[in-house]
Amino acid sequence: MALALAIPTKSPSFTFNHPLLNSSRNVKSALLRPSLIASNDVTFQCSKNCIFKETYVPFAKKHVLHHRLLPGEPHAHHSSRIIRVKSAGSNAGATSPPLQNVVVGLLHLGISLGIILAMDKLLKKAFVTAAIKFPSALFGMFCVFTILMTLDSIVPAAATGLMNFFEPAFLFIQRWLPLFYVPSLVVLPLAVKDIPAASGVKICFIIVGGWLASLCVAGYTAIAVRKLVNTEMTPAEPMSKPSPFSTTEVWAWTGIFLASFAGAYFYPDALGTSARTCLPFLLSSTVLGYIVGSGLPSGLKKVFHPIICCALSADLAAFAFGYLSKSGLDPVLGHYLTKAASNPGAGDILMGFLGSVIISFAFSMFKQRKLVKRHAAEIFTSVILSTIFSLYSTALFGRLVGLETDLTISVLPRCITVALALSIVSFFDGANTSLTAAVVVLTGLVGANFVQAALDKLGFRDPIARGIATASSAHGLGTAALSAKEPEALPFCAIAYALTGIFGSLFCSIPAVRQSLLAVIG
């Protein structure tokens, strides 16, 4: 039983278990002897007149009480014990990490994330030089996963060490993942400017109807296979959660925004080009929008998703700057996403992380490798069928509603994460990549807002079916929305989220598949 001691002001307080104190009625007094403050000894007197003393010793984030008997304690109870207890708040310094730990943590994050980003850049450059039309980041993901699996079979400790080394980078990517999707929504006014209104309505129909159809196919397939194999559910590996946003981060980004906005207004070419000069305030406005949106009440998030708040924040900043500088909104949005490596904007910086997102799939898949092996039949069958259905049904719907060929090609990978969706449309000629990214994000938003209600209405109760159906139809945003309320479905969401993009890219890299899709589109 846990006993909380009342200690005088400025003295430590404890919560502990002790074999002699089997109920609160046994405790007659518990106080800190003033003469023993230096040694941190605490003396207890029980109702049975047995006296014992505990020595408080700080130890890392926990505290240790060394138990020793005082003269007069019954010999039958003579023993030496170490009891771990939680501090109730006295040692305030123990809760805040030292500056050295913060610096080491930042260095660890910088090195691990830098390695992943460098790997992505080197692979991309090598694939372009070799004229290989295959997602370079996907190849990198396969390489990392193969290395981890090989090490795990030969030297398991090495695989665990490698996972631990890259964990800060993995958590960083998880924490900021929605931000990497935002640029396509921020520049959506430019992407849809030349699209007829009638075509826009057709695309919206494909987004909503296609999402629901893909959800049903993935969910019912998972349930059917689940009944056939009848594999028993086992607990999944715990998924690490990124840290929440702090007030310090809000004020820091607010300061950057105000200072850079004023600097760009008074000195438009301070950093050489307009895009570079606008980059700090456009980037900070995007980050601030995401942080504020993430802190909204859960009820409001259902209609005002953090990613919408994020995009609106960046658009408002662009509008304000365009209005004050008399340049207008469109040029500022053009500075946001330039698609030029020599003159990047805020959107280019954010989208530069998309390749690292794909590579990070290797770590999440390796962590859940036992789960993948155990439920391989349900996972792979559902993901493969739903991916094929998503591609061909989108092509067919586009033809049935009379959507233009180039627009239909642009929305083909609607259920695949942005990073791989952009790689998929690069296999085809005439695709509008900005529209592709926007459609993918909008599909995710539809899923994030309505996936739980749809799953309940369709009668999907199995966490495997719910997780696979969500990720296969609404990728990362749907995954985040469902897993926030149903953590038991998160491992299956994470696996299906990665595999849907992988299989979609593999299928579209086959010339025969691309030709058949074009034939369906007409």
Side-chain angles (χ1 to χ4, degrees):
M1 90 70 165
L3 173 67
L5 303 184
I7 307 296
T9 307
K10 296 185 180 179
S11 298
S13 59
F14 311 95
T15 300
F16 70 101
N17 289 303
H18 196 282
L20 295 178
L21 306 179
N22 52 16
S23 74
S24 59
R25 291 189 299 273
N26 287 348
V27 183
K28 194 171 182 180
S29 65
L31 50 95
L32 186 67
R33 289 184 179 178
S35 60
L36 295 175
I37 289 178
S39 62
N40 293 324
D41 284 353
V42 183
T43 300
F44 305 95
Q45 182 177 359
C46 297
S47 58
K48 295 181 180 180
N49 294 323
C50 58
I51 301 173
F52 57 93
K53 181 165 65 179
E54 306 287 357
T55 301
Y56 166 74
V57 181
F59 182 71
K61 291 185 179 179
K62 297 183 178 180
H63 306 289
V64 180
L65 289 177
H66 294 282
H67 167 67
R68 62 183 183 274
L69 299 173
L70 294 181
E73 183 175 354
H75 181 73
H77 297 291
H78 198 319
S79 63
S80 177
R81 302 178 184 273
I82 294 178
I83 305 170
R84 292 190 180 275
V85 298
K86 296 179 182 178
S87 170
S90 62
N91 202 348
T95 58
S96 57
L99 181 62
Q100 182 181 0
N101 290 350
V102 174
V103 173
V104 171
L106 290 174
L107 285 174
H108 189 180
L109 170 61
I111 294 171
S112 58
L113 184 62
I115 291 173
I116 294 178
L117 290 171
M119 183 191 305
D120 176 44
K121 299 300 180 187
L122 289 173
L123 285 173
K124 191 177 294 184
K125 186 177 180 180
F127 274 52
V128 170
T129 304
I132 299 174
K133 273 201 161 187
F134 186 81
S136 57
L138 192 58
F139 175 78
M141 187 274 293
F142 282 128
C143 291
V144 174
F145 183 71
T146 303
I147 291 171
L148 288 169
M149 291 297 292
T150 303
L151 287 175
D152 188 54
S153 61
I154 301 173
V155 189
T160 303
L162 196 62
M163 283 287 293
N164 292 337
F165 176 78
F166 283 104
E167 186 173 20
F170 178 65
L171 290 178
F172 175 88
I173 291 169
Q174 270 191 313
R175 191 181 195 226
W176 298 104
L177 184 61
L179 269 184
F180 310 143
Y181 299 152
V182 166
S184 56
L185 279 186
V186 175
V187 299
L188 188 60
L190 298 180
V192 301
K193 189 166 58 174
D194 298 326
I195 297 176
S199 298
V201 173
K202 294 173 184 176
I203 291 173
C204 291
F205 169 75
I206 292 174
I207 290 174
V208 178
W211 164 75
L212 185 59
S214 297
L215 183 80
C216 292
V217 169
Y220 283 120
T221 302
I223 290 174
V225 177
R226 188 106 167 79
K227 289 179 179 177
L228 288 175
V229 297
N230 198 25
T231 308
E232 184 181 352
M233 286 281 295
T234 57
E237 289 292 325
M239 303 286 286
S240 301
K241 291 186 177 181
S243 58
F245 298 109
S246 65
T247 307
T248 304
E249 288 177 293
V250 175
W251 284 111
W253 283 107
T254 302
I256 293 171
F257 170 74
L258 293 175
S260 57
F261 188 95
Y265 176 73
F266 290 108
Y267 306 100
D269 297 321
L271 299 180
T273 65
S274 297
R276 291 176 185 169
T277 307
C278 291
L279 190 155
F281 83 80
L282 288 175
L283 179 62
S284 54
S285 64
T286 308
V287 174
L288 276 173
Y290 177 58
I291 294 176
V292 172
S294 300
L296 294 174
S298 56
L300 187 57
K301 284 182 184 178
K302 291 181 179 179
V303 291
F304 198 62
H305 194 276
I307 203 170
I308 297 178
C309 182
C310 186
L312 285 178
S313 174
D315 281 331
L316 286 174
F319 175 79
F321 187 82
Y323 177 78
L324 293 174
S325 63
K326 311 297 183 185
S327 61
L329 176 63
D330 287 0
V332 182
L333 290 181
H335 299 328
Y336 187 89
L337 190 64
T338 64
K339 298 182 181 180
S342 59
N343 186 33
D348 300 284
I349 298 296
L350 293 174
M351 294 191 76
F353 283 91
L354 290 176
S356 62
V357 172
I358 304 305
I359 294 175
S360 72
F361 286 166
F363 300 105
S364 58
M365 289 179 62
F366 177 76
K367 195 165 189 178
Q368 301 298 340
R369 62 195 180 283
K370 295 178 182 177
L371 198 69
V372 173
K373 184 177 180 180
R374 185 176 185 83
H375 299 283
E378 303 101 301
I379 294 170
F380 284 95
T381 305
S382 303
V383 169
I384 290 173
L385 285 180
S386 65
T387 303
I388 293 173
F389 173 81
S390 172
L391 292 170
Y392 282 94
S393 64
T394 303
L396 182 60
F397 286 169
R399 182 170 185 169
L400 292 177
V401 299
L403 187 63
E404 292 86 340
T405 300
D406 58 335
L407 297 181
T408 305
I409 292 173
S410 301
V411 302
L412 269 180
R414 55 181 174 77
C415 290
I416 295 170
T417 186
V418 171
L420 290 174
L422 295 177
S423 298
I424 287 173
V425 294
S426 68
F427 291 130
F428 300 89
D429 296 326
N432 183 337
T433 55
S434 297
L435 177 62
T436 299
V439 165
V440 170
V441 175
L442 290 173
T443 301
L445 287 174
V446 171
N449 286 315
F450 303 108
V451 68
Q452 200 165 29
L455 291 171
D456 293 339
K457 199 73 175 176
L458 292 168
F460 295 159
R461 300 286 180 261
D462 193 316
I464 295 180
R466 292 174 75 89
I468 293 174
T470 299
S472 299
S473 60
H475 45 80
L477 296 178
T479 292
L482 183 70
S483 60
K485 298 179 180 178
E486 302 179 24
E488 68 276 7
L490 175 58
F492 302 101
C493 282
I495 294 166
Y497 166 49
L499 290 179
T500 300
I502 291 169
F503 284 122
S505 300
L506 291 175
F507 292 150
C508 289
S509 66
I510 302 172
V513 173
R514 295 200 298 272
Q515 293 299 323
S516 62
L517 286 169
L518 291 173
V520 174
I521 293 172

